[in-house]
Amino acid sequence: MAPPILSLVLPSETGRVLSIQSHTVHGYVGNKSAVFPLEILGFDVDPIHSVQFSNHTGYPSFKGQVLNGQQLWDLIEGLETNDLLYYTHLLTVCDPVMGDEGKLYVPPELVAVYREKVVPVASMLTPNQFEAENLTGLRIVTEKDGLEACNILHAAGPSKVVITSINIDDNLLLIGSHEKEKGQDPERFKIVIPKIPAYFTGTGDLMTALLLGWSNKYPDNLDRAAELAVSSLQAVLQRTVNDYKRSGYDPQTSSLEIRLIQSQDDIRNPEVIYKAEKY
């Protein structure tokens, strides 16, 4: 699982999101994981597909195109020429994402670009454990390490930081931190999430979209937004596992395509099962 790195969020009653992510014809990763949930939560979403593949790269093969910098810029210029760059939110992924599971997906020199150019302009940062380690230079093996990583990332710019998945013992730990005023101690919390014995794709992209959506509805309560996002995501994943089992597949043998369309109610009105514990 490789979550996106950042989202820029400005509070708004009626949100308009520009989502710059990858796209697959089949399956749910990138914009295919993010656009639909945001629309369910009441946002207008304009997607820019930085990558268009037949399917995600976890399959034996894939075909498609990658937009270069000029092609991406042409799309932005087209919007600007027609006075269409009036978005309240920018949801973007550094494509490809930095990495996960101890593996870097990008050239090492790009990490410095992310750290020095991207992080300072983000209002919310949502790295996984591996990405947080690379952005901070800190090895994260305990809750204390996770909190220190949040402090380092706050100092770089973002007021909201959510480290989405820290592996501790048999659980995943989400650690969130909201620095409401510069120089003041941030409000910090954790959510303990039981591991589901399966491998999914697109979960990080979905999680970031849910965090964007719910944090816009609860701009001063990041812990509440995270509770709703985590509970919604876990309901989607459990539905996915159950569906594969009913179809006779072993969920532990291959990566699972999340059952997004079938989980509309879990996205729109999640039952909050996973509670935030404030530090």
Side-chain angles (χ1 to χ4, degrees):
M1 179 172 72
I5 293 177
L6 68 87
S7 58
L8 282 167
V9 181
L10 299 174
S12 171
E13 291 184 4
T14 56
R16 286 183 50 83
V17 180
L18 179 63
S19 181
I20 306 175
Q21 300 193 57
S22 60
H23 170 79
T24 56
V25 176
H26 172 80
Y28 293 93
V29 298
N31 271 328
K32 286 284 289 286
S33 278
V35 172
F36 181 68
L38 284 170
E39 290 174 337
I40 287 180
L41 292 175
F43 294 84
D44 287 316
V45 185
D46 289 348
I48 290 179
H49 302 325
S50 55
V51 170
Q52 179 165 268
F53 288 158
S54 56
N55 45 268
H56 68 70
T57 57
Y59 284 89
S61 65
F62 62 93
K63 296 285 187 177
Q65 304 81 35
V66 178
L67 268 65
N68 60 36
Q70 184 57 54
Q71 291 168 328
L72 287 168
W73 190 244
D74 286 343
L75 296 174
I76 298 298
E77 285 187 326
L79 292 169
E80 185 177 32
T81 300
N82 292 286
D83 296 323
L84 297 175
L85 280 177
Y86 53 98
Y87 297 100
T88 58
H89 304 71
L90 170 63
L91 174 63
T92 185
V93 178
C94 297
D95 242 336
V97 291
M98 282 181 61
D100 199 9
E101 304 288 343
K103 179 183 177 182
L104 200 63
Y105 298 158
V106 299
E109 56 268 22
L110 276 185
V111 176
V113 176
Y114 292 162
R115 185 187 301 119
E116 297 165 12
K117 302 293 185 182
V118 177
V119 171
V121 298
S123 54
M124 180 187 290
L125 204 66
T126 61
N128 59 37
Q129 179 178 355
F130 180 67
E131 290 165 339
E133 290 176 337
N134 276 274
L135 290 172
T136 62
L138 179 68
R139 183 88 171 105
I140 301 174
V141 294
T142 66
E143 288 185 44
K144 184 178 178 181
D145 296 334
L147 293 169
E148 179 58 27
C150 288
N151 290 336
I152 295 171
L153 294 171
H154 280 314
S159 61
K160 295 180 180 179
V161 175
V162 179
I163 303 178
T164 57
S165 54
I166 299 175
N167 280 286
I168 295 181
D169 299 325
D170 292 326
N171 291 307
L172 292 175
L173 189 68
L174 177 148
I175 292 182
S177 183
H178 187 187
E179 187 181 51
K180 294 186 175 180
E181 297 288 341
K182 276 295 181 185
Q184 294 185 2
D185 290 338
E187 296 180 0
R188 305 187 295 185
F189 62 91
K190 67 178 179 180
I191 300 178
V192 178
I193 309 167
K195 289 183 180 179
I196 296 177
Y199 179 80
F200 307 90
T201 56
T203 54
D205 309 311
L206 173 58
M207 182 62 178
T208 295
L210 293 170
L211 281 169
L212 186 159
W214 288 115
S215 66
N216 187 66
K217 295 178 185 293
Y218 297 95
D220 295 322
N221 298 97
L222 184 59
D223 54 340
R224 177 61 177 168
E227 286 179 341
L228 288 158
V230 168
S231 296
S232 182
L233 175 62
Q234 291 300 108
V236 172
L237 299 186
Q238 195 58 61
R239 183 183 302 276
T240 300
V241 168
N242 293 342
D243 188 57
Y244 271 87
K245 286 181 177 178
R246 281 194 299 268
S247 300
Y249 289 94
D250 182 355
Q252 298 187 53
T253 59
S254 61
S255 62
L256 311 185
E257 296 283 8
I258 56 176
R259 295 299 187 248
L260 200 60
I261 306 303
Q262 298 85 342
S263 304
Q264 295 179 48
D265 291 340
D266 297 317
I267 295 168
R268 183 180 294 107
N269 188 29
E271 179 184 359
V272 176
I273 297 175
Y274 301 93
K275 300 283 189 176
E277 178 184 341
K278 293 186 178 181
Y279 286 103

